[in-house]
Amino acid sequence: MNRELLEKPFEPAQIRQRRGRNGVLDYIEGHNVVHRLNQALDGAWSFEITHHEVREDEVLVLGKLTAEGITKMNFGVSQVTREKGSGALISLGDDLKAAATDALKKCATFLGVGLHLYADKPLNGRGAAGRGSGAPPRPPDGPAGPGAAAPSPGSPDTNGHVAGHGEPSAVTGRATQRQLDTIVNIALAKGLKPAEIDATSLKKFSRKPAALSVKEASTLIQELSNIPRARR
Amino acid sequence: MTETVRRTIISFSQLDQYIRCPLKYRFMYVDRVDPEWIPAALIFGRGIDTAAAHYFRGAQAGAPPSLAEVQDVFASYWDLETSLREVKFWKGSKAELLDQGTRMLAVFHAGQDPATDIVDVQRRLTVPLIDQQTGEVLDRELVVVMDLLERDREGHLVVVDLKTAGRKYTELQVETSLQLTVYSYAAEMGGLADREDVRLRFDVLTKTKVPELHRYPTSRDRQANVRLFRLASEVLRGVEAGVFHPVVGWQCKECQFRDRCWAWA
């Protein structure tokens, strides 16, 4: 077991962000975690779901990660996706897969994978309040799969943090994914071409949007939202 | 098309509902309570909207439907919806309201200019919620559905919302309408037109003894957009914090959740 490699911090480009209950959270996508486990353990690891539950609005699984005789277990969750309006289930299988990915990532955290993401973060807010000092570190609340996202206004998870984006990530201070999406969406709506988005950012900040800070991204969004549409 | 509830959106209706009564918002969008009955006025308004949309689509295609056809759409909708659901009638019976709708649509139809340049009908837009003063972005996108988009003779885009109402609108109602502000913002952020080129209009069909069609043109400025952002931000903050208190007023009379509301106390 190559602990150094397991605990090696991920590259900034591999770190994604989303809003969680306690502010902006950094997370690593599942395939990067799998790749890291393969590298550090030479592929000699196994993962299984030992228990799963389907609740009204979420699915919960208990995952077990085993490598070189060491076992780590943790829970993973995912929201149940339903059709808007009818509320019919879309794919419970996909929801369970997303929860399984979440569980794998949380198990891997116990081996040190991605542990650096919250090394500098205080355990604050509601999430920390119920854990007590002796509890293990809580892995980041990143989406369990590529399709996962924050809940809608009508979902039971509405009490999660929803408003505002302005807080910088506690780790990086980089522009959030929401900001980057907004830059693209608003620029396209204003008639700019993708290359022009980069050009606008480079001209103002000497960096492409992905490399902007939260504050710089806000400035760019503010400017883009106020420009007239490009006439072609 | 299937859309999952995972999308982080908020609609104008949700914003409006929270402002009118946060507790009703909770019943509708958080608890997702199925109401036991539907107020007739709600079905009536939707029926008029459906019939008008039928007219506008035909007009857009160069073949405006006849009055009889438009009235028939309303009658079919009315009959179907009032048969399938438990409906509560306050002002008028099923037959009386059908008659009223038929007369209102006659006024509507007579008030249309077939030469109107119709750009789109029931256009759905999803746009980011941006503070144009600071560049702050909310985590929820705003979803709106616009009844009608027209192009006026000067080339302005006109966003029209058709309303049915008991009486004429006041100037204050038109100038402060959140719905028109949302439309103006969405048209700009959705890239349909620059703010200066967006015109807004309420077309109000009165449910009076002799129905009338009144048109109320207006517009919005940048400050209205900033105010919309702050309003949406506060609403989302309230939702996030679980603030769902009742607002008691005239709207309680026809509220589908009245019993549940009293039980909440």
Side-chain angles (χ1 to χ4, degrees):
Chain A
M1 187 175 293
N2 186 339
R3 276 195 63 187
E4 192 179 345
L5 188 51
L6 281 170
E7 295 173 4
K8 182 183 170 189
F10 283 93
E11 296 297 322
Q14 294 175 298
I15 301 170
R16 306 293 299 272
Q17 290 182 318
R18 69 178 284 267
R19 269 252 175 236
R21 291 181 180 83
N22 302 317
V24 176
L25 299 168
D26 290 350
Y27 70 96
I28 304 296
E29 289 181 298
H31 64 90
N32 284 322
V33 173
V34 171
H35 183 63
R36 176 61 58 86
L37 290 172
N38 282 338
Q39 276 186 318
L41 303 169
D42 201 22
W45 58 278
S46 67
F47 179 70
E48 63 179 298
I49 301 299
T50 61
H51 174 76
H52 75 271
E53 284 179 32
V54 177
R55 298 174 176 173
E56 186 177 351
D57 288 299
E58 68 177 9
V59 292
L60 178 150
V61 303
L62 180 59
K64 186 166 110 178
L65 176 64
T66 305
E68 298 181 14
I70 296 171
T71 295
K72 303 290 183 187
M73 296 183 74
N74 211 331
F75 292 97
V77 293
S78 180
Q79 276 201 296
V80 171
T81 48
R82 295 178 186 277
E83 280 184 14
K84 193 177 180 184
S86 71
L89 289 172
I90 291 174
S91 172
L92 210 47
D94 284 345
D95 298 330
L96 284 164
K97 282 194 282 186
T101 305
D102 190 39
L104 170 64
K105 289 196 288 185
K106 285 173 169 58
C107 290
T109 305
F110 288 144
L111 292 177
V113 177
L115 207 54
H116 65 101
L117 290 180
Y118 43 108
D120 299 330
K121 290 182 184 176
L123 292 175
N124 55 7
R126 280 174 285 176
R131 287 199 295 276
S133 58
R138 179 171 171 267
D141 289 337
S152 75
S155 77
D157 203 18
T158 290
N159 288 345
H161 196 117
V162 293
H165 78 110
E167 294 171 34
S169 153
V171 175
T172 64
R174 285 178 292 104
T176 64
Q177 192 59 44
R178 168 67 73 182
Q179 286 182 299
L180 298 176
D181 291 345
T182 301
I183 287 169
V184 172
N185 290 337
I186 198 69
L188 293 178
K190 297 283 185 174
L192 298 184
K193 293 176 178 172
E196 292 173 316
I197 304 171
D198 285 349
T200 305
S201 181
L202 284 165
K203 186 178 173 187
K204 188 157 186 68
F205 303 106
S206 304
R207 286 192 294 284
K208 289 187 176 182
L212 297 180
S213 69
V214 165
K215 193 175 177 188
E216 289 167 338
S218 288
T219 302
L220 184 57
I221 290 167
Q222 189 266 338
E223 290 192 6
L224 288 171
S225 71
N226 285 285
I227 62 170
R229 289 185 311 153
R231 314 273 181 196
R232 300 193 187 277
Chain B
M1 195 177 127
T2 296
E3 184 175 17
T4 73
V5 296
R6 276 181 175 173
R7 287 205 60 182
T8 51
I9 56 175
I10 186 161
S11 66
F12 159 73
S13 305
Q14 287 173 318
L15 271 180
D16 189 53
Q17 187 54 69
Y18 187 88
I19 293 163
R20 288 175 192 275
C21 178
L23 186 57
K24 187 172 178 183
Y25 174 100
R26 183 186 129 183
F27 292 148
M28 290 177 70
Y29 300 112
V30 179
D31 298 344
R32 295 182 195 148
V33 176
D34 275 332
E36 291 174 8
W37 50 270
I38 308 281
L42 191 64
I43 298 176
F44 186 86
R46 285 178 185 166
I48 295 288
D49 277 348
T50 303
H54 179 74
Y55 172 86
F56 293 134
R57 286 203 182 91
Q60 186 185 19
S66 67
L67 171 59
E69 198 179 325
V70 173
Q71 289 171 327
D72 198 42
V73 170
F74 174 75
S76 303
Y77 184 94
W78 180 250
D79 187 51
L80 185 69
E81 291 295 315
T82 52
S83 304
L84 289 177
R85 303 169 181 218
E86 184 68 34
V87 181
K88 274 205 178 177
F89 295 85
W90 272 276
K91 296 170 185 169
S93 66
K94 180 174 173 176
E96 287 167 340
L97 287 171
L98 174 61
D99 177 60
Q100 184 177 41
T102 303
R103 287 185 289 114
M104 287 168 67
L105 285 169
V107 173
F108 163 81
H109 197 271
Q112 303 307 310
D113 177 0
T116 302
D117 180 5
I118 295 178
V119 177
D120 211 344
V121 181
Q122 295 198 326
R123 174 69 174 268
R124 181 189 168 97
L125 276 178
T126 304
V127 296
L129 274 162
I130 299 169
D131 184 336
Q132 287 183 282
Q133 272 185 353
T134 65
E136 187 182 355
V137 184
L138 294 188
D139 266 3
R140 299 272 167 82
E141 289 185 306
L142 179 66
V143 176
V144 297
V145 179
M146 301 167 174
D147 280 354
L148 174 66
L149 296 173
E150 293 178 0
R151 183 85 57 198
D152 70 12
R153 286 176 190 158
E154 288 75 40
H156 300 127
L157 183 76
V158 188
V159 186
V160 183
D161 195 69
L162 181 65
K163 295 285 188 195
T164 57
R167 60 182 73 86
K168 288 194 242 179
Y169 273 20
T170 64
E171 193 178 326
L172 185 68
Q173 268 179 294
V174 177
E175 294 307 315
T176 60
S177 162
L178 176 65
Q179 188 170 18
L180 293 184
T181 303
V182 164
Y183 287 170
S184 173
Y185 174 82
E188 183 188 355
M189 293 304 150
L192 299 184
D194 293 334
R195 188 186 331 109
E196 296 74 24
D197 294 328
V198 176
R199 300 289 182 270
L200 307 161
R201 200 176 77 221
F202 271 140
D203 285 3
V204 179
L205 268 174
T206 61
K207 293 191 261 189
T208 42
K209 205 168 184 179
V210 179
E212 295 171 353
L213 175 62
H214 296 276
R215 292 192 163 97
Y216 301 93
T218 186
S219 60
R220 292 290 186 270
D221 59 15
R222 180 172 174 272
Q223 188 53 37
N225 288 352
V226 174
R227 189 176 164 82
L228 167 65
F229 174 89
R230 298 200 174 147
L231 182 65
S233 181
E234 290 303 307
V235 166
L236 292 173
R237 199 193 305 272
V239 171
E240 177 193 358
V243 177
F244 298 114
H245 59 85
V247 173
V248 178
W250 60 268
Q251 69 274 15
C252 299
K253 186 182 171 192
E254 295 189 15
C255 179
Q256 301 143 279
F257 303 102
R258 194 159 60 169
D259 292 346
R260 189 175 288 265
C261 177
W262 293 124
W264 171 84

